[in-house]
Amino acid sequence: MNESPQKPKDIIICRDVHKWFDRLHVLRGVNLTVQQGQVVVLFGPSGSGKSTFIRTINRLEEHQRGTIIVDGIEMTNDIRNIHAIRREIGMVFQSFNLFPHLTALQNITLAPIWVRRWPREKAEQVAMDLLRRVGIPEQAHKYPAQLSGGQQQRVAIARALAMQPKIMLFDEPTSALDPEMIKEVLDVMTELARSGMTMICVTHEMGFARSVADRMVFMDAGQIIEEGTPEQIFKNPQHERTKQFLSQILH
Amino acid sequence: MTTATETLEPPRTSVGVLGWLKKNLFSTWYNTLLTFFMLWVIWAGGSALLSWVLTTARWEVITANTRLFLVGAYPPDQVWRVWLVVVIVSLLFGLSGGVWGGTIRTFTMSLAVGYAALIALSFLVFPLSEGFVWLFANLVILLVTYALARDRKTWQRWMIPLWLLAFGVTIVLLHGFAKSEWLPEVSTTRWGGLLLTFMLSIVSIVMSFPLGVLLALGRRSKMPVVRLFCILYIELVRGVPLVTILYMTQIMLPLFLPGDVRIDNVVRAMAGMTLFAAAYLAENVRGGLQAIPEGQIEAALAVGLNNALVILFIVLPQALRMVIPAIVGLFIALFKDTTLVMIVGLVDLLGVGRSVLAQPEFMGLQIEVYIFIATIFFIFSYAMSFASYRLEQALGVGKR
């Protein structure tokens, strides 16, 4: 494949990805290619395998068949490969998963100091810049339990960004938030998308999808049923299952 | 009528000392009755005990045998080495209290009060004896190092290495070297009394902690052989009484070692207690490990930490914090269980008590001796318990 400035490179390539939980076949041949800088919104009914799928991309779940290539590195069982891929990818979880025994700042600097081997001063400087970017520099020395849900999720985003990843995965980042906090998190995500970050977001925030996503991907029963631009998906969904699902979540 | 913004004083009888008394002691007629009954019990029991302690009790059994109680058969001309160890401890407590402040400072200050009390006591009993001078020196060293180290946060990183170093130095200092002129060997068979009790418990606590943590991690390992070994070890040791383990280390340890290696009784007892405590500690730690949500580990892996870093920085700090009370409970039990070494022929604090009572001139003074021993055990057990409570509070910051 030739890389030219006109055609952005394929940073994530998933081919025929299968996954079983014991005997349960949860991913049934998922094919997805994401170009650098693209924002992909992944949606679908619960149990459709969307979370499981994005978790295979950084090997929080192991896939049993198929190929996953991230930034030219193929995912294998080799732990060095897995670490190399994880360093390229930041992840934000539904339940934040901040480390409760560390302050916001320490949550962010932990990996840069111990994995990237940055000096503490540099890590803290970068962390403060990130906290300013997500709008909560004044909370740097608080513990997660002292922050609101929206603030915790923004710290979690800053923590993921501190490793300077090329790709960000969002696994239902606003599902555990009170309505008035959803917007502050979505604003950060929108800013991030505009800055050119490659993102895959599992979310049902359709307003966010409409304004930010380059592509929307609908999953059901472990497979990708349909994909297209937000325009195509909202105005003219092709598949019956997509229409049905959209009609249930859009009123 | 009051307006909405006006705050009224609560009724006089519901706040302050009066309010507390009324609410807690005299709320009903039977509560009042109980209050007076308990006051009478406390007064009757307390005054009887106090008058016995001050008038009837024959404390000369303790004062005449103080050295035995404290160091057992440790050679009297070498006791300065024990005192030097106490000096090291005072030094480190002074430094730690200074650089860390908070709970540790409370401990430093409690130790200072303890020294002051002992100085007062020894002034009454053995005025200007050698021990009196050493105690006084310790108090001075404690306070001076505290003042010196106060608020020097940059020294903090040296404290834990220093404590570990002191642990090694203590053992070398107490044991000495064969054929050395300055530090002649004092065989562990001559260690006794409170010194032996302390050495047994400190060594087994310090050694069992890392071993127990490793066993707990091993029990959750993905490698079946490691897991099986850890499960077998933990379950076997937990299924056997400590007494049995102490006998086994006395008899069986030599069987596993080459014939020319002789390990003395004290080291065998330490090994037995360490192996025993490690199994229980592992189970306590496992409880903490299980309480860590899977999301914590996933988040740590996702930012790129490897398995060792995840355990070191994310899992263990949270897991250990959760099980501090259980672990300290275990250590307190271990401290008291050191008295079991009596059955393998070692003379710890309780053992000294028994041998003192066997002397003809002190026959029949069991109450004095056992109250003295119980008081010492209580003071140190309570100190540990208090430390754990304060530690929990201090670490509670940011807890979910």
Side-chain angles (χ1 to χ4, degrees), chain B residues 52 357 362-372:
Chain B
W52 178 83
L357 286 171
F362 299 120
M363 289 280 206
L365 295 179
Q366 278 89 348
I367 303 181
E368 283 85 346
V369 168
Y370 287 128
I371 281 189
F372 173 70

Side-chain angles (χ1 to χ4, degrees), chain B residues 264-343:
Chain B
D264 65 62
N265 283 359
V266 172
V267 175
R268 285 186 220 170
M270 284 171 176
M273 299 198 59
T274 302
L275 297 176
F276 178 78
Y280 280 87
L281 200 107
E283 283 301 274
N284 284 338
V285 172
R286 189 169 69 102
L289 292 178
Q290 276 170 337
I292 306 295
E294 194 58 29
Q296 288 289 309
I297 295 161
E298 289 178 355
L301 290 174
V303 287
L305 300 185
N306 62 32
N307 287 333
L309 290 178
V310 172
I311 287 170
L312 201 60
F313 290 126
I314 306 302
V315 176
L316 279 184
Q318 297 187 57
L320 291 180
R321 167 184 310 183
M322 262 181 263
V323 296
I324 288 172
I327 290 182
V328 174
L330 180 69
F331 286 163
I332 290 174
L334 191 65
F335 173 60
K336 293 183 294 184
D337 282 349
T338 53
T339 48
L340 286 175
V341 297
M342 218 159 55
I343 58 150

Side-chain angles (χ1 to χ4, degrees), chain A residues 171-242:
Chain A
D171 188 2
E172 306 210 30
T174 56
S175 303
L177 294 175
D178 291 338
E180 74 262 37
M181 292 169 185
I182 291 177
K183 187 175 176 297
E184 64 189 49
V185 171
L186 289 180
D187 286 347
V188 171
M189 289 170 63
T190 306
E191 186 269 327
L192 196 60
R194 301 256 149 86
S195 75
M197 176 66 76
T198 310
M199 292 165 56
I200 302 183
C201 313
V202 173
T203 182
H204 291 140
E205 294 297 329
M206 287 302 152
F208 171 79
R210 198 188 298 265
S211 67
V212 177
D214 298 304
R215 279 160 67 199
M216 292 183 66
V217 175
F218 177 66
M219 272 185 85
D220 190 23
Q223 283 176 317
I224 292 180
I225 304 288
E226 179 167 3
E227 57 175 300
T229 62
E231 180 88 4
Q232 290 164 347
I233 295 286
F234 287 118
K235 293 255 171 69
N236 189 20
Q238 299 299 308
H239 210 278
E240 197 51 42
R241 189 74 189 84
T242 320

Side-chain angles (χ1 to χ4, degrees), chain A residues 55 58 60 83 86-87 89-91 93 97-102 110-111 114-115 143 145 159-160 163, chain B residues 294-307 309 313-315 317-318 321 397-400:
Chain A
R55 287 157 60 87
N58 68 347
L60 291 183
H83 279 301
R86 280 180 181 154
R87 278 198 290 271
I89 301 179
M91 188 161 192
F93 300 86
N97 294 349
L98 290 181
F99 308 129
H101 58 303
L102 302 176
L110 183 70
W114 289 95
V115 181
Y143 287 91
R159 176 177 69 182
M163 287 296 283
Chain B
E294 194 58 29
Q296 288 289 309
I297 295 161
E298 289 178 355
L301 290 174
V303 287
L305 300 185
N306 62 32
N307 287 333
L309 290 178
F313 290 126
I314 306 302
V315 176
Q318 297 187 57
R321 167 184 310 183
V397 187
K399 214 170 172 176
R400 280 186 222 233

Side-chain angles (χ1 to χ4, degrees), chain B residues 233-290:
Chain B
Y233 176 88
I234 292 169
E235 295 306 335
L236 274 178
V237 171
R238 293 203 322 151
V240 175
L242 177 55
V243 177
T244 319
I245 291 185
L246 286 175
Y247 273 128
M248 292 214 306
T249 47
Q250 297 297 316
I251 297 156
M252 285 174 60
L253 210 56
L255 298 183
F256 291 113
L257 293 167
D260 51 341
V261 178
R262 301 232 57 77
I263 298 189
D264 65 62
N265 283 359
V266 172
V267 175
R268 285 186 220 170
M270 284 171 176
M273 299 198 59
T274 302
L275 297 176
F276 178 78
Y280 280 87
L281 200 107
E283 283 301 274
N284 284 338
V285 172
R286 189 169 69 102
L289 292 178
Q290 276 170 337

Side-chain angles (χ1 to χ4, degrees), chain B residues 68-328:
Chain B
L68 268 182
F69 276 112
L70 295 182
V71 298
Y74 207 87
D77 60 328
Q78 297 295 324
V79 168
W80 60 270
R81 285 151 67 167
V82 181
W83 278 114
L84 208 56
V85 168
V86 181
V87 166
I88 293 176
V89 171
S90 300
L91 201 98
L92 283 172
F93 257 109
L95 287 175
S96 306
V99 299
W100 273 315
T103 305
I104 318 275
R105 174 162 48 216
T106 314
F107 264 85
T108 308
M109 290 303 134
S110 311
L111 193 59
V113 171
Y115 281 143
L118 283 176
I119 288 169
L121 206 61
S122 66
F123 185 73
L124 290 175
V125 187
F126 334 93
L128 302 180
S129 65
E130 195 189 352
F132 177 81
V133 177
W134 276 108
L135 278 172
F136 198 77
N138 268 295
L139 180 61
V140 172
I141 287 165
L142 184 76
L143 294 176
V144 166
T145 48
Y146 169 74
L148 208 69
R150 198 162 174 187
D151 293 326
R152 287 187 201 266
K153 297 253 185 272
T154 48
W155 292 7
Q156 279 180 4
R157 72 175 106 168
W158 299 108
M159 293 318 297
I160 288 177
L162 268 179
W163 275 102
L164 290 178
L165 184 71
F167 178 66
V169 169
T170 296
I171 289 170
V172 170
L173 204 56
L174 289 180
H175 191 269
F177 303 98
K179 302 191 199 88
S180 161
E181 205 166 310
W182 293 100
L183 223 52
E185 181 173 355
V186 178
S187 132
T188 52
T189 48
R190 308 199 60 175
W191 297 15
L194 189 60
L195 172 70
L196 181 64
T197 299
F198 268 158
M199 291 313 290
L200 283 170
S201 26
I202 291 171
V203 169
S204 43
I205 285 172
V206 171
M207 303 297 228
S208 66
F209 186 75
L211 192 59
V213 170
L214 285 179
L215 281 169
L217 291 171
R219 189 165 185 171
R220 285 165 57 88
S221 165
K222 289 195 184 76
M223 289 174 277
V225 178
V226 174
R227 190 170 61 235
L228 191 70
F229 172 81
C230 291
I231 292 175
L232 271 178
Y233 176 88
I234 292 169
E235 295 306 335
L236 274 178
V237 171
R238 293 203 322 151
V240 175
L242 177 55
V243 177
T244 319
I245 291 185
L246 286 175
Y247 273 128
M248 292 214 306
T249 47
Q250 297 297 316
I251 297 156
M252 285 174 60
L253 210 56
L255 298 183
F256 291 113
L257 293 167
D260 51 341
V261 178
R262 301 232 57 77
I263 298 189
D264 65 62
N265 283 359
V266 172
V267 175
R268 285 186 220 170
M270 284 171 176
M273 299 198 59
T274 302
L275 297 176
F276 178 78
Y280 280 87
L281 200 107
E283 283 301 274
N284 284 338
V285 172
R286 189 169 69 102
L289 292 178
Q290 276 170 337
I292 306 295
E294 194 58 29
Q296 288 289 309
I297 295 161
E298 289 178 355
L301 290 174
V303 287
L305 300 185
N306 62 32
N307 287 333
L309 290 178
V310 172
I311 287 170
L312 201 60
F313 290 126
I314 306 302
V315 176
L316 279 184
Q318 297 187 57
L320 291 180
R321 167 184 310 183
M322 262 181 263
V323 296
I324 288 172
I327 290 182
V328 174

